[in-house]
């Protein structure tokens, strides 16, 4: 196994920003004559992240590998600030500020729109046009094309400047940043982002889809419901939650599916499964 002074890591189950940031930092460090290697130790890379990266000329699979088993290996974390490694974390570049005391040699954690834009902004001359496009892409994906509250004005200005300078296809970047769900069959409503949760003796499951025009899938949706109710019965679930994100109006509808009932709730904003929907269900279930 080849040795490197620095191993760069994105977070577990890396998303587009983690992958792009790791790749760009490796490029940057190598150009500055550092021996650094970006490694993705995860066995599986999320299919959607794979497809998006490949569409912009980056193949994440190339970076999959085993981490060195050395106590003195130096690590650099991008897009996260906590990690158990056999070695020493010497640097962190992240955009999830924390009040925690971090004592690495180099620590840069600010409320940026993406880690990738933190790496490239101000150092554009060290990167190729294609690499800058990847940083723009990661910024669009991480902020849901600037609709997330994570969006920082300065980065929007930077993206616009790069798009102008390099004539990037902004409408394509915008659409890719929305991460629309490809729905070709009713089973996609079930399997997209499917997660199961256990609360006491109750099991629930949740999936979500993001579409530009929910009204266009309404016909499919009615057949999806019987499919979902069947799934609820077969898997002995207390509830199945389907979240539909309207990527034009930036609102969500949530369908609560049980074996005998379907209840719809509309939200005038985006809901987060992990932060809003599931905790609320957990409270209700545990109260009973
Ligand atoms: Mn990120």
């Amino acid at each position: 196994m080849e040795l490197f002074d620095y191993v760069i890591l994105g977070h577990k189950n890396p998303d587009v920003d983690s992958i792009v940031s790791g790749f760009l930092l490796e490029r940057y460090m190598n150009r500055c004559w550092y021996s650094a290697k970006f490694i993705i130790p995860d066995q599986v890379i999320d299919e959607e992240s794979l497809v998006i990266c490949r569409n912009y000329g980056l193949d994440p699979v190339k970076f999959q590998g085993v981490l060195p088993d050395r106590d003195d290996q130096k690590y650099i974390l991008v897009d996260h600030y906590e990690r158990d490694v056999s070695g020493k974390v010497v640097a962190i570049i992240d955009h999830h500020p924390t009040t925690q005391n971090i004592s690495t040699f180099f620590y840069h954690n600010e409320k940026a729109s993406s880690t990738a834009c933190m790496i490239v902004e101000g150092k554009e001359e060290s990167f190729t046009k294609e690499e800058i496009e990847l940083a723009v892409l990661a910024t669009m994906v991480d902020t849901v094309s600037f609709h997330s509250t994570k969006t920082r004005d300065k980065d929007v200005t930077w993206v616009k400047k790069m798009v102008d300078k390099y004539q990037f296809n902004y409408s394509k970047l915008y659409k890719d940043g929305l991460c629309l769900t490809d729905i070709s069959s009713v089973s996609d409503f079930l399997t997209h982002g499917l997660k199961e949760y256990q609360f006491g003796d109750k099991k629930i499951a949740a999936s979500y889809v993001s579409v530009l025009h929910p009204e266009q899938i309404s016909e499919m949706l009615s057949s999806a419901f019987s499919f979902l109710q069947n799934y609820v019965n077969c898997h002995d679930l207390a509830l199945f939650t389907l979240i539909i994100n309207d990527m034009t109006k930036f609102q969500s509808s949530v369908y609560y599916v049980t074996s005998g009932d379907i209840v719809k709730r509309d939200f005038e904003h985006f809901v987060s499964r992990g932060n809003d929907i599931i905790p609320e269900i957990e409270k209700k279930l545990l109260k009973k």
Side-chain angles (χ1 to χ4, degrees), residues 159-271:
V159 161
K160 301 244 156 93
K161 203 173 131 194
M162 292 302 113
V163 166
D164 277 352
K165 183 170 175 189
Y166 293 103
Q167 295 293 300
F168 295 140
N169 184 341
Y170 187 71
S171 56
K172 183 173 186 294
L173 284 158
Y174 180 89
K175 199 166 166 235
D176 287 337
L178 298 179
C179 293
L180 301 175
T181 311
D182 177 17
I183 303 168
S184 43
S185 80
V186 288
S187 64
D188 292 324
F189 288 99
L190 170 74
T191 54
H192 189 261
L194 179 65
K195 265 193 191 166
E196 280 197 11
Y197 308 81
Q198 183 87 41
F199 299 122
D201 58 350
K202 300 234 169 53
K203 205 164 66 173
I204 68 164
S207 66
Y208 71 92
V209 297
S210 301
V211 295
L212 273 184
H213 306 289
E215 58 281 3
Q216 289 176 358
I217 55 160
S218 56
E219 226 167 84
M220 237 180 155
L221 205 52
S222 51
S223 43
F225 287 140
S226 52
F227 189 81
L228 290 180
Q229 284 186 313
N230 190 32
Y231 185 84
V232 165
N233 290 331
C234 291
H235 288 77
D236 205 21
L237 299 179
L239 176 73
F240 190 98
T241 309
L242 170 64
I243 302 171
I244 306 224
N245 294 320
D246 179 331
M247 305 308 280
T248 309
K249 296 193 189 113
F250 295 96
Q251 300 173 340
S252 303
S253 298
V254 181
Y255 292 90
Y256 301 89
V257 181
T258 58
S259 55
D261 209 7
I262 296 162
V263 178
K264 182 189 186 198
R265 214 172 128 197
D266 291 319
F267 293 83
E268 278 177 9
H269 57 91
F270 255 146
V271 295

Side-chain angles (χ1 to χ4, degrees), residues 124-136:
E124 292 84 1
E125 69 287 349
S126 300
F127 294 93
T128 65
K129 177 185 169 185
E130 290 72 25
E131 290 161 0
I132 291 172
E133 189 177 33
L134 281 167
V136 168

Side-chain angles (χ1 to χ4, degrees), residues 15 17 79 95-96 115 142:
D15 59 6
D17 188 32
D79 206 28
H95 66 136
H96 306 95
T115 304
D142 241 34

Side-chain angles (χ1 to χ4, degrees), residues 22-146:
F23 166 71
L24 293 179
L25 187 62
E26 180 197 281
R27 281 292 170 97
Y28 181 76
M29 290 183 74
N30 290 166
R31 280 169 195 151
C32 298
W33 305 103
Y34 285 105
S35 145
K37 173 85 185 127
F38 171 45
I39 298 178
I40 301 176
D42 304 67
Q43 302 270 325
V44 185
I45 300 174
D46 168 62
E47 183 65 27
E48 283 181 327
S49 302
L50 269 183
V51 171
I52 295 179
C53 288
R54 282 175 177 157
N55 277 338
Y56 287 80
L58 178 65
D59 190 3
V61 167
K62 280 191 198 156
F63 300 95
Q64 275 178 302
V66 183
L67 297 182
D69 185 23
R70 297 168 55 204
D71 302 340
D72 60 344
Q73 178 62 56
K74 287 184 268 189
Y75 285 94
I76 299 173
L77 309 183
V78 292
D79 206 28
H80 67 314
Y81 60 83
E82 266 177 323
R83 185 86 167 214
D84 270 333
V85 286
S86 65
K88 194 173 170 19
V89 175
V90 295
I92 295 169
I93 305 174
D94 191 17
H95 66 136
H96 306 95
T98 168
T99 51
Q100 236 168 286
N101 225 335
I102 310 272
S103 58
T104 45
F105 176 71
F106 180 91
Y107 181 63
H108 194 176
N109 196 349
E110 59 180 46
K111 269 189 137 175
S113 304
S114 68
T115 304
C117 74
M118 284 172 71
I119 293 171
V120 177
E121 273 183 51
K123 297 186 280 295
E124 292 84 1
E125 69 287 349
S126 300
F127 294 93
T128 65
K129 177 185 169 185
E130 290 72 25
E131 290 161 0
I132 291 172
E133 189 177 33
L134 281 167
V136 168
L137 172 72
T139 306
M140 301 306 283
V141 172
D142 241 34
T143 60
V144 197
S145 294
F146 299 140

